Amino acid sequence: MRVLAKVHRLDGYPVNWPDRPGEWLSHGPLLGSWVAELEGRLVGHVTLSPGGEDDLAPILWSERNGATRDMTAVVGRLFVAPEARGRRIGALLIGRAVEEARRRGLHAVLDVVASDTAAAALYERLGWELMAAVEQQWSPHQTVVVRCYAAPS
């Protein structure tokens, strides 16, 4: 949670700091969760989960592919410690989550807030397809634009 707090202070991720960050990181159901270590220190994290009601990417992917939402898995909770960036840790974590989705016969998708340009640039460098940018009402006083991506086939 210390690494997540650093990322939040520097990058604003997650957009809204959770009341219980430990629960937020492991909020289920999960298909998998992985961490990255560098020189014995935790430096990154990612999860893979079934799509929830608020996840737009599974809906978009299933509509485009004539499939059901349960044919997708959502990559989420991805972050890398600021001091460990530039070492492909984010790409390795994403790769591990996509590998697990494929092993289960699922297609990996994700949603990212449009203001997180570094994350969007990473997904695009890795060949993820931008399906849409959609405005979402997160609360009565908070509207965000979410970019929805699908992993390369």
Side-chain angles (χ1 to χ4, degrees):
M1 290 180 286
R2 285 188 300 271
V3 175
L4 181 62
K6 271 191 213 177
V7 169
H8 178 71
R9 282 191 303 274
L10 182 68
D11 302 327
Y13 177 82
V15 172
N16 298 316
W17 183 253
D19 292 333
R20 297 181 175 154
E23 287 180 23
W24 181 82
L25 284 173
S26 60
H27 183 71
L30 293 177
L31 301 173
S33 181
W34 299 270
V35 296
E37 289 184 5
L38 183 63
E39 299 172 0
R41 292 185 342 263
L42 182 72
V43 294
H45 178 273
V46 71
T47 63
L48 186 69
S49 61
E53 288 182 19
D54 296 333
D55 292 315
L56 297 174
I59 296 167
L60 291 171
W61 184 88
S62 62
E63 287 173 354
R64 286 181 170 206
N65 292 281
T68 60
R69 282 177 31 173
D70 62 356
M71 297 293 299
T72 64
V74 178
V75 175
R77 311 293 194 252
L78 172 68
F79 58 91
V80 174
E83 66 274 11
R85 293 179 183 167
R87 297 173 183 238
R88 297 197 36 83
I89 293 168
L92 290 170
L93 286 166
I94 292 168
R96 179 62 187 99
V98 169
E99 178 184 302
E100 179 63 18
R102 288 185 178 143
R103 188 186 74 73
R104 292 171 176 261
L106 304 172
H107 195 91
V109 296
L110 60 82
D111 299 336
V112 63
V113 292
S115 60
D116 194 346
T117 56
L122 171 63
Y123 306 137
E124 291 173 13
R125 273 194 315 274
L126 295 175
W128 285 62
E129 174 194 359
L130 175 63
M131 296 183 288
V134 180
E135 197 170 87
Q136 264 191 329
Q137 189 79 35
W138 282 7
S139 75
H141 306 290
Q142 186 180 32
T143 301
V144 296
V145 175
V146 176
R147 296 170 61 93
C148 302
Y149 286 91
S153 297

